[in-house]
């Protein structure tokens, strides 16, 4: 079986730069496929940019494939109504009756990002769910830049190895945006779910100011998750464990951008 190179596409700055560099022959060998795992709850501007990127990549012989394991927001609502017994948990912040804060175990990246991509790779190889794939048959390109080196992780699959072309090129996020502008490409927006708990206050404030409809989606979602079934305590999107619409986003609350630390190289790249 010929080794297959595939791009894990998050449609953010880093993975977009990596894809376009490969398409233009600046990183070799050029992959035939770039796979975008759609959680169903990305901001509208991400989907708009992705449409352009699909066309641009196709000009250079790279096919962008969208895959999905459902709509993460709708699945939570179905669970709350009792129509869905199990969901992949999101990393909600929790507050118990004693005032202790915690965090829900995160399963969403695995089930809405990683698993659909791996399933599509098997389809492209023509190998079923239980079929054996030779060791090292797939090289998955990950859009992790030099300033995110802590996110580099080896593949857990023997048949897949991870490659980090931006690290190889000594490129950080600034270098990626510089490359995009130098080549007259529009810099893509950050890709992540509208209601991702890993948003920092800057991201929440930007959403509130620039995308009021999506902000209200997140506010409504935050209200609905307050008393999730089988969860001890209340759930919140904001790490302060305050209802999202009540958070003072203009104040420095000592927050960190958890997104980069927790995404495992699949979300928001």
């Amino acid at each position: 079986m010929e080794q297959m190179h595939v791009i894990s596409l998050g449609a953010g700055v880093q993975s977009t730069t990596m894809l376009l560099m490969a398409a233009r022959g600046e990183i070799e060998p050029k992959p035939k496929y770039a796979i975008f795992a759609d959680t169903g709850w990305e901001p509208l501007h991400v989907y708009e940019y992705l449409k352009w990127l699909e066309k641009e990549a196709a000009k250079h012989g790279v096919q962008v494939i969208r895959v999905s394991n459902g709509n993460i927001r709708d699945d939570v609502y179905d669970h709350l109504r009792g129509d869905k017994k199990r969901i992949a948990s999101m990393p909600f912040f929790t507050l118990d009756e004693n005032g202790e804060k915690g965090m829900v175990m995160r399963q969403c990246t695995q089930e809405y990002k990683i698993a659909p991509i791996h399933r599509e790779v098997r389809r492209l190889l023509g190998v079923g769910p239980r079929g054996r794939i030779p060791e090292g048959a797939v090289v998955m390109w990950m859009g992790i830049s030099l300033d995110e080196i802590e996110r580099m992780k080896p593949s857990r699959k023997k048949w897949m190895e991870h490659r980090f072309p931006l690290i190889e090129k000594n490129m950080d996020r600034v270098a990626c945006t510089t490359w995009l502008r130098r080549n007259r490409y529009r810099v893509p927006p950050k890709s992540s779910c509208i209601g991702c708990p890993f948003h920092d206050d800057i991201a929440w404030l930007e959403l509130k100011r620039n995308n009021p409809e999506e902000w209200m989606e997140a506010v409504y979602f935050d209200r609905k998750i307050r008393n999730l079934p089988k969860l001890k305590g209340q759930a919140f999107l904001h790490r302060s464990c305050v209802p999202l619409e009540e958070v003072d986003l203009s104040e420095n609350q000592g927050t960190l951008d958890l997104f980069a630390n927790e995404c495992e190289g699949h979300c928001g790249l």
Side-chain angles (χ1 to χ4, degrees):
M1 181 181 292
E2 183 180 354
Q3 192 176 57
M4 183 170 70
H5 288 251
V6 182
I7 290 175
S8 175
L9 181 64
V13 169
Q14 284 93 328
S15 66
T16 295
T17 302
M18 182 175 65
L19 168 56
L20 293 172
M21 290 181 73
R24 295 163 62 100
E26 296 186 30
I27 306 175
E28 295 181 332
K30 181 168 67 177
K32 292 182 179 179
Y33 309 105
I35 306 176
F36 175 80
D38 184 6
T39 66
W41 203 20
E42 294 274 355
L44 179 60
H45 54 233
V46 171
Y47 291 116
E48 291 174 345
Y49 192 92
L50 184 61
K51 286 182 181 179
W52 171 85
L53 188 58
E54 289 170 335
K55 294 178 181 178
E56 185 64 25
K59 294 177 185 178
H60 300 275
V62 181
Q63 181 184 359
V64 175
I65 302 172
R66 300 193 199 195
V67 296
S68 177
N69 199 29
N71 184 301
I72 191 169
R73 178 199 60 191
D74 293 348
D75 286 348
V76 170
Y77 289 156
D78 287 345
H79 181 60
L80 290 170
R81 286 193 298 266
D83 297 332
K84 195 176 185 70
K85 291 184 178 180
R86 180 198 171 276
I87 56 170
S89 58
M90 296 172 66
F92 301 129
F93 298 94
T94 60
L95 184 68
D96 67 18
E97 58 185 9
N98 298 316
E100 293 291 327
K101 294 181 180 180
M103 196 174 200
V104 177
M105 179 179 67
R106 175 175 45 83
Q107 299 171 328
C108 51
T109 299
Q110 172 63 37
E111 298 195 24
Y112 287 91
K113 287 288 185 180
I114 300 173
I117 290 176
H118 288 185
R119 186 169 61 242
E120 179 63 15
V121 168
R122 282 185 166 274
R123 187 192 71 81
L124 293 171
L125 291 171
V127 179
R130 298 183 180 180
R132 182 182 177 277
I133 302 175
E135 186 171 341
V138 177
V139 179
M140 183 67 69
W141 293 23
M142 312 297 291
I144 293 175
S145 54
L146 197 61
D147 49 317
E148 305 173 321
I149 199 165
E150 72 279 0
R151 298 173 70 183
M152 291 178 64
K153 295 182 181 180
S155 172
R156 296 178 181 178
K157 305 286 186 181
K158 290 185 178 180
W159 51 268
M160 177 185 293
E161 62 182 75
H162 286 170
R163 182 185 176 189
F164 307 94
L166 297 177
I167 301 293
E168 296 170 13
K169 293 281 188 178
N170 291 316
M171 294 179 68
D172 58 13
R173 184 182 178 89
V174 173
C176 289
T177 57
T178 299
W179 185 92
L180 289 167
R181 290 177 176 136
R182 185 172 65 244
N183 289 280
R184 299 183 179 180
Y185 293 123
R186 182 166 61 91
V187 177
K190 191 170 185 178
S191 173
S192 63
C193 289
I194 290 171
C196 179
F198 289 151
H199 288 329
D200 60 10
D201 282 2
I202 295 174
W204 285 125
L205 185 58
E206 182 179 347
L207 183 68
K208 184 177 183 179
R209 286 175 174 172
N210 301 328
N211 299 282
E213 291 185 7
E214 292 175 353
W215 164 256
M216 289 310 301
E217 278 188 42
V219 167
Y220 180 75
F221 184 80
D222 177 66
R223 293 173 186 164
K224 296 295 288 185
I225 65 170
R226 197 71 70 238
N227 296 293
L228 286 170
K230 300 180 180 180
L231 182 68
K232 293 181 179 179
Q234 295 184 314
F236 298 83
L237 286 183
H238 195 270
R239 64 200 56 146
S240 64
C241 292
V242 171
L244 190 57
E245 72 269 30
E246 297 178 15
V247 176
D248 185 353
L249 297 173
S250 65
E251 294 181 0
N252 180 4
Q253 301 183 41
T255 62
L256 298 173
D257 185 355
L258 296 180
F259 190 88
N261 295 328
E262 296 292 340
C263 199
E264 293 199 347
H266 288 82
C267 300
L269 301 176

